[in-house]
């Protein structure tokens, strides 16, 4: 699901996570800065009807949401029809050369591919255990940076209305480890670092 870093089993928990995730809107602002989004044709992968699609439209993007690529990878978009292809969390999970080639097919010659994944080194990473996005993906010799991408790290938060609200959500969503992380918080929010891997069609990583 493009709007969330993971999908809880309980739909109610998904709604609560969506309500607290990046309330400051740093992720869509970063995507616009790296695209840009305004006035451009945007293919958003796996984000149909979601909050991110609405936010990208609000800054002036002409957004078309498509389902995640199947096997073999195939996006429901014509050759050279997009200025931007954007995927968040559920797609372009390294290594993903077939998906990247498919994005290049859809992009115009100077089009941009923007990929959002968790970066780690934050409170949220203590909840989710060891994941490749917390280590190997962001290394200089990792798959993304070895394949024409650059990375911008966005310092976001999961923000709750109160300490009690944070404690209840973390307990419901993550059990014992959620209670342990909640006990370390001094404010009703968790630090959450997001990586935006970005490249121009064909592999050039600018802008930095």
């Amino acid at each position: 699901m493009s709007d969330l870093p993971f999908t809880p089993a309980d739909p109610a928990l998904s709604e609560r996570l969506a309500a607290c995730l990046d309330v400051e809107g740093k992720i869509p602002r970063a995507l616009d800065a790296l695209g840009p989004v305004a006035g451009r044709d945007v293919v958003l992968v796996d984000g149909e009807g979601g909050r991110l699609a609405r936010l990208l439209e609000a800054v002036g993007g002409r957004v078309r949401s498509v389902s995640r690529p199947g096997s073999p990878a195939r996006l429901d978009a014509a050759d050279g029809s997009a200025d931007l292809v954007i995927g968040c969390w559920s797609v372009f999970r390294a290594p993903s050369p077939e998906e990247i080639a498919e994005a290049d097919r859809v992009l115009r010659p100077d089009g941009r591919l923007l990929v959002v994944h968790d970066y780690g080194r934050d409170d949220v990473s203590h909840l989710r255990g060891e994941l490749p996005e917390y280590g190997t993906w962001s290394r200089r010799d990792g798959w993304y940076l070895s394949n024409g991408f650059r990375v911008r790290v966005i310092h976001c938060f999961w923000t709750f209305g109160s300490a009690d609200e944070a404690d209840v959500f973390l307990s419901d969503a993550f059990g014992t480890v959620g209670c342990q992380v909640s006990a370390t918080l001094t404010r009703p929010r968790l630090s959450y670092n997001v990586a935006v891997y970005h490249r121009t069609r064909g592999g050039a990583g600018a802008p930095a």
Side-chain angles (χ1 to χ4, degrees):
M1 183 174 184
S2 186
D3 272 357
L4 299 176
F6 68 99
T7 304
D10 183 346
L13 291 176
S14 293
E15 294 177 8
R16 288 157 66 186
L17 177 57
C20 76
L21 173 63
D22 187 32
V23 297
E24 297 171 310
K26 291 183 177 182
I27 295 173
R29 290 204 304 271
L31 295 174
D32 189 30
L34 290 168
V37 171
R40 309 187 82 193
D41 294 317
V42 180
V43 168
L44 177 63
V45 185
D46 202 23
E48 185 174 3
R51 177 175 176 267
L52 182 59
R54 296 191 297 272
L55 291 171
L56 295 175
E57 289 169 349
V59 299
R62 297 183 292 270
V63 180
R64 178 183 179 186
S65 295
V66 300
S67 299
R68 73 183 71 182
S71 182
R74 184 72 182 179
L75 295 174
D76 183 19
D79 294 3
S81 60
D83 300 303
L84 289 172
V85 172
I86 298 175
C88 302
W89 295 295
S90 61
V91 290
F92 304 111
R93 297 188 60 81
S96 55
E98 291 184 356
E99 288 184 345
I100 302 301
E102 180 63 3
D104 281 351
R105 179 190 67 79
V106 171
L107 287 168
R108 295 179 176 128
D110 60 348
R112 301 272 291 152
L113 173 59
L114 310 179
V115 179
V116 174
H117 285 301
D118 285 8
Y119 182 75
R121 295 79 157 172
D122 56 20
D123 294 330
V124 172
S125 63
H126 297 306
L127 297 169
R128 303 193 61 204
E130 294 295 326
L131 297 175
E133 43 263 66
Y134 295 159
T136 57
W137 286 6
S138 59
R139 285 175 15 188
R140 187 176 299 276
D141 60 350
W143 190 85
Y144 282 104
L145 300 188
S146 298
N147 283 275
F149 286 86
R150 293 185 181 178
V151 61
R152 181 174 295 185
V153 179
I154 313 300
H155 302 288
C156 305
F157 299 95
W158 292 6
T159 304
F160 300 89
S162 67
D164 286 344
E165 183 182 327
D167 187 63
V168 170
F169 173 80
L170 294 174
S171 175
D172 289 348
F174 298 99
T176 300
V177 69
C179 294
Q180 292 169 346
V181 170
S182 179
T184 70
L185 301 179
T186 58
R187 290 182 288 179
R189 67 183 191 181
L190 282 75
S191 62
Y192 180 48
N193 296 331
V194 170
V196 183
Y197 297 98
H198 57 96
R199 78 202 272 273
T200 301
R201 182 182 183 275

